[in-house]
Amino acid sequence: MRDVAIIGAGMIPFGRRDEDSLMDMLAYASLKALDDAGLGDKSVDAVYVANMGAGILQHQTSIASSLVDRLSLLPAAADVVENGPASGGSAVKNGLLAVASGYYDLVLVVGGEKMREVTGWRATDFVATMTHPQAEYPYGITLPGMGGMFTRLYMEKYGVTREHLLAVSLKNQEMGALNPYAHVEMTLDREGIFDSPHAVVNNPLAADPLHLYDLCPVSDGAAALVLCPLELAKKMAKVPVLIAGFGQATDTHTLQEREDPTDLKAVTLAARQAFEMARLKPGDIDVAELHDAFTILEIAESEHVGFFKKGEGGKAAAAGKTRFGGQIPINVSGGLKARGHPVGATGVAQIVDIVFQLRHELPGNRQVKNARYGLTVNFGGFGNNVTAFVLKRVEP
Amino acid sequence: MKKEIAITAYKCKQCGRIHYPFHDRCLDCKGRLFEPIKPQGNARLLAYTAIYNLPWGFDQRFLILGVAEFENKVKAMGQIKADSIDSLKTGMVLRPSWEPVRVQAGEDVYGLKFEPIP
Ligand SMILES: [Zn+2]
């Protein structure tokens, strides 16, 4: 197996992008990554497109074939990778394996989703199609609803409080406001969404006990990476970022069939595999992007990957340990909560953000000093399919 | 024909684990032979939420949903009949019923509902 590095990274601002089609967004992000890699008019061997919903939302299929045509990357191999909200992580895995095996040298991975094309209740229904078609979906359950049930169980078992959730929300929104690619560009004030009498209006219940500002927004967006063997990467202009570790694991489709529904086994296993492959420990990580589709998930994942003991993640967030400048900065990009969550794009965007961190390219108010190692967790379904990556800066 | 959500659970003939929904192989022992069983008796509430942003197809302000465990250990999701989520508590006993849970293509779809026993 060859070592695989990232030599190009790019994304477009997430948000509501009425003027762009899904294909426009995928093309723009791809060109940014190709340019970042300094590939100019060169082609690539293969393209992996992460997307969950073009067939449902845009009534369009085979979008990878369409994208290579638009980008004039013919005759590159091209595939769509669909793994729900973990499609991005899965597409990067496909790129990693293809280059590591020696089959391809230059691979483009791009993830994108256009969710604001449909009404909110259609988008909610689209995301809910990943729940069990018999045992869950017909009852009207949504992903925030799964998050609400999980949150109450976590609160009952570990004593997580609304204050803990609020700390994640405020932190990520504050960091997102500094990120030009983020969907949500305003900071939140604690008074308006928690303390004041108006908080019930500004921040109503969304999926009890989760409130509106515990949830990520519904976004359009795309992000892309270029992968190649490490040896080739060392000859390129940018500082290479090594994909030092990867892991992926699955769990039961329904929460009710898990022995302990607060135990996100797939997160633990995916992270453990990634750390073992990288020969690193959670304590070695300088910066992490976790899948905070709901604030509770950032807290639960921070425990399951090993940053904190079970039951300590909420307190750690409230104590500022996961802030920029803290013990382990989590979601310095703003996370899904503020960067946004165009489902197919997210897993790729998390890695793009870590690449920017490890190349030391960000402005001082977001750059983690001397960052060498990063972690990403991309969470599919309700934890039934999870990918994790450990990334490493390769010193020039 | 009445549209119904399949609510048969499956008990592994080899190790006894109860599955709902259906699996082709037992989650514990990989056995492939199951005895179909129906949920029986009342149910204990394991997890619940009220959702306010409903998916397409639901015309109401909010919906209370939960997962409950029947007396014969079958666990299943259902809608909860309660005016407010504040009247619910994890571990409380609920009475199940079989009622329309949504409308699809103009027809009622029958499924599980749970109601707190006063
Ligand atoms: Zn068995």
Side-chain angles (χ1 to χ4, degrees):
Chain A
M1 296 269 276
R2 302 190 289 184
D3 284 335
V4 179
I6 296 165
I7 52 162
M11 61 190 285
I12 58 170
F14 287 9
R16 184 176 181 130
R17 299 183 60 108
D18 291 340
E19 69 284 10
D20 299 322
S21 69
L22 171 65
M23 206 49 64
D24 291 336
M25 297 194 299
L26 291 168
Y28 301 157
S30 299
L31 290 174
K32 288 184 86 167
L34 290 168
D35 288 345
D36 185 62
L39 290 177
D41 56 2
K42 289 202 184 64
S43 196
V44 297
D45 300 317
V47 179
Y48 294 99
V49 181
N51 174 264
M52 176 175 165
I56 294 176
L57 299 172
Q58 279 76 44
H59 201 61
Q60 186 180 356
T61 57
S62 299
I63 59 173
S65 321
S66 180
L67 182 68
V68 287
D69 177 63
R70 263 197 65 162
L71 291 172
S72 188
L73 289 171
L74 310 172
D79 300 288
V80 174
V81 177
E82 194 274 301
N83 180 19
S87 297
S90 286
V92 177
K93 171 191 77 174
N94 275 276
L96 164 69
L97 298 182
V99 176
S101 69
Y103 207 89
Y104 297 130
D105 283 329
L106 217 46
V107 168
L108 170 71
V109 181
V110 53
E113 205 76 56
K114 187 167 171 64
M115 304 175 77
R116 301 298 296 246
E117 185 151 0
V118 298
T119 58
W121 58 331
R122 285 275 185 185
T124 300
D125 179 66
F126 152 63
V127 177
T129 59
M130 67 179 134
T131 62
H132 195 284
Q134 277 287 340
E136 294 175 334
Y137 176 84
Y139 291 104
I141 190 68
T142 60
L143 265 291
M146 303 286 273
M149 286 199 277
F150 180 82
T151 304
R152 177 169 283 102
L153 292 170
Y154 224 82
M155 286 175 157
E156 288 171 351
K157 180 158 184 178
Y158 293 115
V160 167
T161 65
R162 266 199 78 199
E163 284 274 356
H164 298 160
L165 302 178
L166 181 73
V168 173
S169 187
L170 294 174
K171 167 180 71 74
N172 292 358
Q173 203 98 357
E174 182 188 330
M175 294 314 292
L178 304 173
N179 180 356
Y181 295 111
H183 182 168
V184 180
E185 289 172 358
M186 56 164 193
T187 55
L188 292 173
D189 79 291
R190 187 196 154 95
E191 175 75 14
I193 65 163
F194 194 69
D195 293 326
S196 87
H198 305 297
V200 287
V201 180
N202 297 336
N203 188 19
L205 275 166
D208 196 305
L210 292 174
H211 290 66
L212 176 67
Y213 286 109
D214 287 307
L215 275 49
C216 64
V218 175
S219 317
D220 304 333
L225 296 163
V226 180
L227 275 49
C228 76
L230 179 62
E231 291 316 309
L232 179 62
K234 286 176 177 167
K235 296 175 194 149
M236 308 296 279
K238 295 269 170 110
V239 174
V241 171
L242 178 72
I243 302 180
F246 164 74
Q248 181 175 15
T250 50
D251 201 349
T252 62
H253 197 165
T254 65
L255 271 179
Q256 78 227 20
E257 290 207 294
R258 299 182 193 168
E259 201 179 359
D260 175 358
T262 62
D263 186 13
L264 301 172
K265 278 187 186 159
V267 175
T268 306
L269 291 171
R272 190 181 297 161
Q273 290 168 19
F275 282 125
E276 279 173 10
M277 179 175 160
R279 295 196 181 84
L280 291 170
K281 298 186 295 296
D284 296 320
I285 298 297
D286 299 304
V287 57
E289 289 286 320
L290 303 183
H291 193 110
D292 59 327
F294 318 118
T295 47
I296 187 68
L297 287 181
E298 180 175 310
I299 291 171
E301 289 166 26
S302 73
E303 298 171 1
H304 285 77
V305 302
F307 290 147
F308 305 106
K309 289 199 184 101
K310 289 269 178 78
E312 297 296 317
K315 290 174 220 158
K321 291 183 182 175
T322 59
R323 290 178 64 83
F324 177 69
Q327 176 190 323
I328 170 66
I330 295 175
N331 290 329
V332 174
S333 68
L336 281 61
K337 173 78 190 76
R339 182 184 53 223
H341 186 24
V343 281
T346 287
V348 182
Q350 291 176 313
I351 297 177
V352 168
D353 276 306
I354 294 290
V355 167
F356 292 161
Q357 285 285 354
L358 299 183
R359 293 197 312 209
H360 303 167
E361 284 175 350
L362 293 169
N365 58 1
R366 294 199 290 131
Q367 176 65 52
V368 174
K369 279 209 185 92
N370 304 319
R372 290 169 64 210
Y373 302 111
L375 173 78
T376 66
V377 171
N378 191 194
F379 185 92
F382 201 88
N384 65 5
N385 203 327
V386 177
T387 65
F389 289 87
V390 171
L391 303 157
K392 180 185 172 189
R393 174 185 169 88
V394 178
E395 295 300 338
Chain B
M1 204 182 83
K2 191 161 130 185
K3 279 194 184 175
E4 295 188 280
I5 296 169
I7 186 60
T8 305
Y10 298 87
K11 185 173 182 177
C12 175
K13 286 189 171 174
Q14 204 160 277
C15 76
R17 175 164 176 156
I18 293 168
H19 300 74
Y20 177 74
F22 177 75
H23 300 259
D24 294 273
R25 300 203 297 173
C26 172
L27 286 171
D28 282 338
C29 76
K30 318 276 189 249
R32 299 184 190 190
L33 297 174
F34 299 94
E35 175 198 343
I37 57 172
K38 291 286 179 193
Q40 276 171 12
N42 288 327
R44 198 169 54 85
L45 185 59
L46 300 179
Y48 60 99
T49 186
I51 56 174
Y52 294 84
N53 304 307
L54 299 181
W56 176 66
F58 285 86
D59 187 18
Q60 58 202 86
R61 202 170 67 77
F62 68 96
L63 177 63
I64 304 179
L65 292 158
V67 172
E69 181 175 22
F70 288 85
E71 284 166 14
N72 64 346
K73 304 294 175 198
V74 174
K75 293 178 193 170
M77 181 177 282
Q79 294 175 358
I80 298 178
K81 295 198 281 185
D83 294 332
S84 158
I85 193 168
D86 298 330
S87 62
L88 303 179
K89 201 168 174 353
T90 305
M92 75 190 302
V93 180
L94 308 170
R95 184 186 301 115
S97 56
W98 193 244
E99 298 181 36
V101 292
R102 78 185 294 164
V103 176
Q104 268 176 344
E107 281 184 81
D108 282 339
V109 180
Y110 282 72
L112 278 172
K113 286 203 181 187
F114 298 108
E115 189 172 16
I117 297 173

